[in-house]
Amino acid sequence: MYAFKYHKPSSIEDAAKVFSGADDARYLSGGHTLLPSMKLRLAGPSDIVDLSGIAGLKGIKVEADKVTIGAGTRHNDVALSAEVRAAIPALADLAGGIGDFQVRNRGTIGGSIANADPSADYPAAVVGLGATVHTNKRTIAGDDFFTGMFETALEDGEIVTAVSFPRPKRAAYMKFPNPASRYAVVGVMVAETASGMRVAVTGAAASVFRVAEMEQALASNFSPDAIAGVAVPADNLNSDIHAAADYRAHLVGVMAKRAVAKAAG
Amino acid sequence: MNENGIGARVRRKEDKRFITGRGNYTDDINRHGQTHAVFLRSPHAHARIVSIDTKAAMAAGAVAVLTGKDVADAGINGLPCGWLIHNKDGSPMKEPGHPVIALDRVRHVGDIVAMVIAESKNQAKDLAELVEVDYEVLPAAVNAVEALKPGAPQVHDDVEGNLCYDWHLGEKDPVDAAFAQAAHVTKLDVYNNRLAPNAMEPRAAIGEYDRATGEHTLYTTSQNPHVIRLLMGAFVLGLPEHKLRVVSPDVGGGFGSKIFHYAEEAAVTWAAKVVGRPIKWNSDRSEAFISDAQGRDHHTHAELALDNDGKFLGFRVSTTANMGAYLSTFSTSIPTYLYATLLAGLYATPAIYAEVKAAFTNTVPVDAYRGAGRPEACFVVESIVDKAARETGRDPAALRKLNLIPASAMPYQTPVALQYDSGDFVKNIDDALKVIDYDGFPARCDASKKKGMLRGIGLSSYIEACGIAPSTVAGALGARAGLYESAEVRVHPTGSVTVFTGSHSHGQGHETTFAQIVCERLGVPIENVEVVHGDTGKIPFGMGTYGSRSLAVGGVALHNSLEKVIAKGRKIAAHMMEAAETDVEFKDGHYRVAGTDKELAFGAIALQAYVPHNFPHDELEPGLDETSFYDPKNFTYPNGCHICEVEIDPDTGVTRIERFVAVDDFGNIINPMIVEGQVHGGIMQGIGQALCEDCIYDESGQLLTGSYMDYCMPKADMVPFYEVGTNVVPCTHNALGVKGAGEAGTIGAAAAVINAIRHATGVGDIQMPATSQRVWQAINASAAQAAE
Ligand SMILES: Cc1cc2nc3c(=O)[nH]c(=O)nc-3n(C[C@H](O)[C@H](O)[C@H](O)COP(=O)(O)OP(=O)(O)OC[C@H]3O[C@@H](n4cnc5c(N)ncnc54)[C@H](O)[C@@H]3O)c2cc1C
């Protein structure tokens, strides 16, 4: 690791202030992406602003119409929460399928979505459930949050404070994990929400995307058969040593069908 | 039976310290005034070093920055290769230099360019970034088959066409004759994927020099400290043994990768004297991927000739093995004497001929990895036998049984140099078929089909040559070392015992197994036995642990020393009880005069040995301390049958292992629990190779699977509970009747898994690793073919 200055502010305001006063600062949440890249000397921030001392960033609030999760909430807190499981089981399932136990005990939802790894799971929930991302400056619609590979709508220094997920009528998440890393080769969230049908795919492309054709088909017939004929073009999908684009395209179809079957019960 | 003696499931004595974090590994050692080294490594697979500028790093506070030029100026030699292979024409193999630090040219990503020594590891890393190296990048040879083609980039200027050797074994004419009469010929092309060893403990080394005594000490993560002392002292640094001590404390796994003498060991030992302070290096995981010798990487074409009844007539095999950029310590022996000699498998094939070409490439050196050559041989043999069964419409189990060497044919001389001493191969298969309920497979397959799944069952019958090795045989085949083992048994005055063994545990539980042998023979309680290994300052010269040899060679040396101790004790007992030596018997820890009630406990004899107030000193020396060196007459031949049953999801290509049965013959077993552990771990590694592990290099020689994000280790949730059993046929030529169990699981497992997948999918040429994508593609391709 390169040397850096460490700060642990106790309020969001202080965090933002330290950040803007520094040369090349980074926020630190669970550290499960940032610290490995620092150890490998791929990242060398001048200042680390640790968000874990800010009480307001942690916690889960379940209301009649939505579930709000503080940015600093760990994956296991979501996965193991009985309230989340009762309100949006697909969300608890998704969180429970991230990495392994150790990863889930450190990684946070805020860190995950701010990082916007193309293979991360949470983006499928943010887009697939039509969530809203809250920051220290504004609210951002889930559909507008992810803008590309490792890119988001966040401005420099903007802090994610929470994510609220409207309760869907029914939803399910299906993931095809990379056998080495356990990140998503393909992950599909299918949800019937108040604002309509949503099918969001993570892992397959540079960034999470929705499959309109599947959404339309499911709107008239919520069954795996309804989307069996929908082929997702491989053109813009990722290709790597683990999965070529055509395999990913195929897996999107398989995972979507399985998610529909699960959501349909 | 002694409750902690041979055959008992004694809990491992060493585990308490391991699982409570009190093990003492090389990286746990810190020496007074210690500095830290970081090795600056080549980012290129092949390049000329135009210049190296260390001034900025020195100015910023480096203790020293040493380069290939410093190594050359100090008169340090390259790293030696321990096994000389001869070409078909009798000429010796090519042995290009392997400098401790690269000089002028780097030949693989990870090749050492400079050694940066600083006050802390992190500072050394900072300073390494200040070392300016100007490279002229050259095209790289990566794939072994391509590297041997004309026009391929040259890895070493003095090795034309990148060919290390072109070797053969067996007689060609009888094989050609057999093929001429064959009713059926099965042909097979397989690639045995390259693996990274991934010991849990990364390598580490500490060099220290004592100016007062002139003694050098190297602490290192080695499976064989005496071998390192010999290779490094005599061949690389020119240090005499009496001024060089090599200590390998607890070692956290090795799988072969910690056999070899590595550049970092020589570098820290030498440089510690140069800088006048101890130097520690420990490898990062990413560094291990580009600096630990890797395993396998064979391209093979094989052909099997059968007669009308399905009997094997002849077998010919042609393999290209990747050596990587330099010859690692035992690299050259792996695809030759540890591979081609096993191509008979368990079958009475009368004529076998094998050719092996070894190629240099711009990749990490390849050497022994658990099984070392034998898994590659087993995979070729068991793949082609299965394919022959499919092609000729025979049941794979039946075709195997038709061709097995019967127990009555033992000892059996194969056409590829080995003489199998014992084994009941038919019983192994029959037992395994029964455990898995082979006859019930069709019903299970139907049940899977109803769920939309494919199901397959695959066999693999393996044999391995272990207990490496008889020195005479090894020497005749080109080994530059002997391969015996040593053991000293030191009985202390109050009857407790310390064993000093030349073997070394890197996780196998020798402290328990060896203590059980002592317990059994001397009748002393197990807690009174200490097993010492891993320190050339304490143990007699010994060859270390690899090739499933510790028990079969080191254990027998221990047995022989115990016999000497018992014999000496008998002399003392006879003197004390005033009886003739021939009338004194030893049993259950007591010497008794036959036909009388006179007896003395072993402990009493031990005390007398060191308090010899009334010994007849002309006839009887004091002391009870005996050493043996044991050189076996033959290899040992563990063998067995593995059967794997898989279910495959055709929608995703994901393979689930439903059952895994292993019936193994390890000869006599000292501790069944430890043996089961070895089998479980070995099978896991075989499954890892079969399903997911793969070192993938791109054309420029970059390792694409250089971290756990991409290199897929097998995980516990990928496998079922193994069903393992043994079929004991004692080895006929060692005193313990043992064969060894360290590598068996890895040798047999991969072919069983792949045969099961081939059976389930009907696709005969699925290669390893059978990733979900590969299986999915194969299913699609065969469906498309069927539709045509
Ligand atoms: C072995 C392993 C396996 C994994 N497997 C999976 C998997 O299967 N699926 C998956 O989705 N993820 C996986 N992850 C990722 C992990 O779960 C975390 O989600 C991820 O590391 C980011 O969360 P974090 O809290 O650790 O963020 P950090 O590493 O602390 O930060 C990540 C980035 O986000 C920024 N950041 C953090 N918090 C905020 C905030 N509140 N506002 C603005 N910016 C912020 C940081 O500055 C940094 O740039 C895995 C990680 C590891 C190490």
Side-chain angles (χ1 to χ4, degrees), chain B residues 307-623:
Chain B
D307 72 11
N308 259 325
D309 302 327
K311 283 264 190 198
F312 303 158
L313 298 174
F315 186 36
R316 57 185 169 214
V317 176
S318 166
T319 292
T320 303
N322 198 333
M323 293 283 103
Y326 303 101
L327 296 181
S328 174
T329 312
F330 288 114
S331 56
T332 51
S333 64
I334 311 304
T336 49
Y337 293 107
L338 291 177
Y339 165 71
T341 50
L342 273 305
L343 286 170
L346 294 165
Y347 308 107
T349 314
I352 302 174
Y353 177 70
E355 300 173 281
V356 180
K357 288 191 173 83
F360 288 104
T361 62
N362 295 108
T363 60
V364 172
V366 179
D367 205 325
Y369 170 71
R370 198 172 191 174
R374 290 148 292 165
E376 294 91 314
C378 176
F379 190 71
V380 172
V381 173
E382 290 305 294
S383 290
I384 203 163
V385 169
D386 242 49
K387 194 171 182 195
R390 265 194 314 277
E391 285 178 355
T392 61
R394 290 183 167 87
D395 173 69
L399 182 65
R400 282 181 171 82
K401 284 169 71 173
L402 178 71
N403 285 286
L404 287 179
I405 300 161
S408 59
M410 295 295 162
Y412 176 83
Q413 177 64 49
T414 73
V416 275
L418 299 179
Q419 191 184 81
Y420 300 162
D421 69 312
S422 59
D424 189 344
F425 310 147
V426 180
K427 186 168 188 308
N428 294 341
I429 292 200
D430 283 341
D431 287 0
L433 290 174
K434 204 185 288 162
V435 175
I436 205 148
D437 182 19
Y438 194 63
D439 296 336
F441 177 79
R444 297 194 293 277
C445 189
D446 284 345
S448 292
K449 274 202 188 112
K450 288 208 183 86
K451 293 187 292 176
M453 305 292 255
L454 308 172
R455 198 175 186 99
I457 190 164
L459 276 74
S460 166
S461 286
Y462 74 91
I463 187 161
E464 47 170 334
C466 287
I468 292 174
S471 294
T472 40
V473 177
L477 302 180
R480 287 164 166 162
L483 284 160
Y484 45 82
E485 195 48 88
S486 64
E488 177 188 345
V489 174
R490 188 178 298 168
V491 182
H492 304 293
T494 59
S496 67
V497 177
T498 304
V499 172
F500 299 87
T501 169
S503 305
H504 191 12
S505 177
H506 44 290
Q508 297 91 337
H510 296 174
E511 288 170 49
T512 307
T513 306
F514 285 9
Q516 285 181 254
I517 297 173
V518 175
C519 218
E520 174 80 24
R521 295 300 295 134
L522 299 185
V524 295
I526 198 158
E527 54 281 5
N528 288 4
V529 183
E530 192 69 25
V531 175
V532 174
H533 46 208
D535 183 347
T536 64
K538 294 181 180 168
I539 59 168
F541 190 89
M543 298 307 292
T545 288
Y546 40 85
S548 306
R549 71 191 301 275
S550 295
L551 181 61
V553 192
V556 177
L558 169 60
H559 168 90
N560 291 351
S561 290
L562 291 168
E563 290 302 310
K564 290 182 191 172
V565 164
I566 291 167
K568 171 80 180 284
R570 180 176 288 115
K571 279 199 170 68
I572 299 172
H575 165 68
M576 292 183 57
M577 296 189 285
E578 297 176 330
E581 213 182 303
T582 46
D583 290 341
V584 177
E585 56 191 31
F586 182 68
K587 211 175 153 232
D588 301 329
H590 287 79
Y591 289 97
R592 292 189 181 85
V593 181
T596 73
D597 59 359
K598 281 201 222 172
E599 66 167 40
L600 278 172
F602 180 73
I605 297 297
L607 188 62
Q608 284 303 314
Y610 293 97
V611 190
H613 286 163
N614 60 0
F615 269 25
H617 287 291
D618 314 344
E619 295 157 35
L620 193 56
E621 272 181 29

Side-chain angles (χ1 to χ4, degrees), chain A residues 19 25-36 49 51 57 71-75 94 97-100 103-104 106-117 119-123 154 157-161 175 177 181-184, chain B residues 709:
Chain A
F19 189 100
R26 293 285 285 274
Y27 293 120
L28 177 72
S29 189
H32 257 44
T33 291
L34 186 53
L35 296 184
V49 185
L51 301 178
L57 285 182
T73 310
R74 308 205 189 280
H75 305 328
L94 176 145
I98 294 175
D100 54 35
V103 170
R104 295 196 290 276
R106 292 297 310 170
T108 65
I109 186 169
S112 176
I113 67 166
N115 190 53
D117 189 306
S119 322
D121 294 295
Y122 266 125
L154 291 173
E158 190 171 3
I159 299 173
V160 175
T161 54
K175 170 182 184 177
S181 72
R182 301 270 158 122
Y183 271 90
Chain B
M709 296 302 280

